Structure formats: structure tokens, C-alpha cells
Amino acid sequence: MTPVEPLDTTTAELLERFRDGKIPGLARAISVVEGERSGFQSLLHTVMAGGPQAKRVGVTGPPGAGKSSLVAAAATSYRERDERVGVVAVDPTSPYSGGALLGDRIRMNDIAMDPGIFIRSMATRGSLGGLATTTKEVVDLMDGFGFPRVLIETVGVGQTELEITAAADTVVVVLVPESGDAIQAMKAGLMEIADIFVVNKADRPGSARLVKELRQALHLRAGSALKDIPAHHGVDLGQAMKKERTTDAPATEPEGWSVPVLTTNALTNDGVDKLLRTIDEHRSWLEESGQLEVRRRDRAEGRIRDVVNRELMRIAWRRDEVVDLLREGVEEIAGGEETPYSVARRIVEVLLR
Amino acid sequence: MSDERKIRILVAKPGLDGHDRGAKVIASAFRDAGFEVIYTGLHQTPEMIVNAAVQEDVDVVAMSVLSGAHMTLFPRVKELLDESGADHVLLTGGGIIPEDDVAALEERGIGRLFGPGTPTTAAIEYVREWFAAQNTA
Ligand SMILES: Nc1nc2c(ncn2[C@@H]2O[C@H](COP(=O)(O)OP(=O)(O)OP(=O)(O)O)[C@@H](O)[C@H]2O)c(=O)[nH]1
Ligand SMILES: [Mg+2]
């Protein structure tokens, strides 16, 4: 394997503690990776050498939907099966102060003391995809540390935070009646990323309606809503919708996975066992259909691009020559002599020289 | 690496009393000061506090103790931190704590403790200065 950079002594010592299964070693390794402190690349390189092993489950959905509560409930059940669980929970960094209030652990107090559970909170630090820039790497660390199951909770998402697909094998989208109707889920792109839908807070009014709407929307997406309507009738939407209302079977995805819509009550654990069984079924499907391999390859490609991009940026802006050109360029633009494009061109030429 | 390192701080509320207003106020103040604050809610035992501090690899633990049990809680958390190899973590906090007790606790390796009237800026400054000193030493 191509080496990355020589291991400095601090990183080597850290790796030793990590490999000995010491929790503080894992905790510090995460800080090193999160802060991109020196040695982080060789650390990841070493830890990832065995390839991905853990089953990675992402939990996403709007603020307050019950993601943390469900993660806690799921982790409890995994522990009953004697599976050790790593949890990464992401909350937003305040764009004003750069600080963050990380509160996901509040819902996880019942499981926090279990030595088979490791929980780490992360702030987004300016990243916009619903995860922190290095959440995927932190999941790799937990995997490499030996957690067979890693649960990833995203920030409360709005409409564009779909990074979770790059970190998880199975994506669970949690909605609640209060978070809006199925149209909003469609607009947000959640239909595309969900492997499993969960309508949480099933104890609240409106959940049955949301379940029905989601099933309809999934059928529409799978293209099955109109398929039984004879073509010579044209497409009678009224009839299509009527037909739709009678269909309760899960819609089938093109690749052969039917996205189920489940209901849970994270406070009473109702529906949580079913959710876990469904996550297992999705796992089997991933493995048998070859999709797991496809997803892992996609992730590997994405990661290589990320690392190259970040490294190139670092190399570029670290060079005094480039920073000088930038400063001069700003003046020249102010004087009307250049545009950002001509300055950028000059900088790129210097970098490629 | 151009970014300065974020200060990670656990705001902890031990004990059985059901009031965490003070803890929430200080947690938000730390957040607004640019710290990454981990808040774990009410009723934390010393074991829970230290477990979270270790997993989250925090620089600082700030405890809010209003129950009068400061003379047992602070030393206990300090002891557990040391046992867990987290003796580099600053243990500070606040509450209704008499001057003599503050001094006695400081002697046992616990950081400065702040009384109820103290402006949050004092605690923020203290943490910043401690952190800067750690990272230049
Ligand atoms: N009634 C009811 N309340 C629930 C349920 N699940 C969670 N809650 C409550 O909903 C609130 C938010 O739950 P969290 O688990 O913190 O939600 P979250 O999605 O993690 O929230 P963020 O991380 O802030 O986006 C808490 O007060 C929970 O107790 C449920 O099934 N039924
Ligand atoms: Mg949460």
C-alpha cells in the first residue's frame, strides 16, 4: 500500500492506544481527525486499511422529529443483541459565533454508561450537508475501532442536507406529523435518499395520514401509480389517485428495494423492533443485490475526490506566491485593471508551472 | 490548521434538583463565545459526567452545583477524571459556594469556581486564558 506520510511519534502513540481498544485513544483520534491536526491522514490511512466492516445506519429528518430518541431506542435494542454500538450525533455550528450547543446526548442518558456504547457529538463547523466535514471519517474511526454497528444522526435537516447518503449504508428518514406533508418531503429530496421512512410520534394526531401520503408519494415515484390505468383512457388522475388510496403494499424501487413506511413512538419503544428488523432486511438486500458494493465504491470515489480537493486547496493557499497574487489581484480589480477571472487564471498558471 | 482549535466544553448539571436554568444560561454563553458546548441535561452522576467528558474529549468540564454538595461533587469528578487518564481536563464551575470552600477545592486541583452573581464573561475569559496557557506551554 502507498504510504501517506511518516508517522510522527505522537500519532504512533495514539495509534497504539487506539489499537489496544482504549476509549480515550478513540476519543482523541476523533479530535485529531475532526481538527485535521497533524498526522490525521496517516491515522485514517492506518485505521482504514482493513476496509469497511461496520453496518452504518444514518438517521436524518427535520429538527425535533425524534432522531436522538430513536437512536437511543435502537442502540438499546442492539445492545440486547450484544452488538456494540458507536453513535455520531451532529448538531449545527452557529454561523454567528462559530460556537455550537451539542445537545443530542440529552436523549441518550439511559444508554450513555453502557461500556458497549460510544457516543460522540460533532458540530457542523460550517459544513452544509447535514453532517460535519469529517463525520464520514469519524465513522471510519469507529468502524476501525471495532464497533460492528455505527449510528449517525444528522442535524435537523431542512431542504438540502443530503450528505448522509455519503456516510451510511442504510438511510432512515424520520418525519413527524408536525413536520409537514409528503409534498414537503418530496421537495426536500427525502424520497430519493430514504431507504426506510419512519413516521415517529405515532401517538400524535395526523401520523396515519402522513403514512398514507408517503406511501402514495413513493408509489408515484416508483411509477406504479398509473400503471394499471388503461392507456386508451388517457391518464385520468382522479382515477389514479382513487386507485392509489387502495394500495398499501410498499412501492418497489428500480433496484428492487421497496421503501417501507413504518411508525414508531420513540418514548414507548413501539415500532422500534420492527424498525430494527427492517434495517436488517435492508442490509440483507444490500448484500445480496450487490448494492452494498456499489455504495461502497461510490463512497470511496467521493472520498478520494474530497481528499484531493482539500489537499490541493491547502497546497495552493499555503504558497506565499499565490497569496501575493491574490492580494495584488484584489488591488488590480479595484483599479479596474483585472477581473477575478484573469487573476484566478494567473494563479492557476503559477500552480501548474 | 489555519483555524485556531475550538474549545470543547462539557456543561454538566449533577444532582437531583430539577433546575438547570443556570446551566443553560452558561451553556448558551459559552456557545456565543465560540466554544463547542456539550450539554447532557439534568441529574448527571459524577460517573456520567466523566464518561461523557472522556468520549467527547473535552478540554473543560463546567459543573453547575446549587445543591450544596460541592465539597463532595467536585472532588469526586476530579478523582474520576484523573483515574480515566483525563487529568489534563480543567474542572471548573459555579454555584452557591462559600469563599473558603472555593479555596479548599482549588487546593485539590480544581479550577476557579464562580458565584451566582458572576457575569458569564468572567467564566469565558477564565476558560480562554486557561486554554491559551495550555497550548503555548
Ligand atoms: N410524543 C412523542 N414525543 C417524542 C417522540 N420521540 C421523541 N419525542 C420528543 O420530541 C422531542 C425531540 O426529540 P429528539 O429526539 O431530541 O429529536 P431530534 O430529532 O433528535 O432533534 P434535533 O436533534 O434537535 O433535530 C423530545 O422532547 C422528545 O422527548 C415520540 O415518539 N412521541
Ligand atoms: Mg437530536
Side-chain angles (χ1 to χ4, degrees), chain A residues 117-138:
Chain A
I117 291 181
F118 180 96
I119 305 168
R120 182 64 173 239
S121 315
M122 292 186 87
T124 52
R125 297 193 181 173
S127 167
L128 297 175
L131 297 179
T133 321
T134 53
T135 299
K136 301 188 280 288
E137 286 84 345
V138 169

Side-chain angles (χ1 to χ4, degrees), chain A residues 49-127:
Chain A
Q53 308 288 333
K55 297 170 178 155
R56 302 163 181 220
V57 180
V59 179
T60 189
K67 298 179 292 296
S68 301
S69 309
L70 270 178
V71 163
T76 311
S77 301
Y78 285 128
R79 289 301 293 146
E80 282 161 11
R81 306 185 189 171
D82 227 16
E83 224 175 288
R84 293 163 69 235
V85 186
V87 175
V88 195
V90 188
D91 267 333
T93 292
S94 154
Y96 302 105
S97 65
L101 193 52
L102 310 175
D104 291 319
R105 286 187 89 100
I106 297 175
R107 316 283 172 218
M108 306 185 189
N109 278 320
D110 291 346
I111 58 169
M113 288 307 288
D114 183 332
I117 291 181
F118 180 96
I119 305 168
R120 182 64 173 239
S121 315
M122 292 186 87
T124 52
R125 297 193 181 173
S127 167

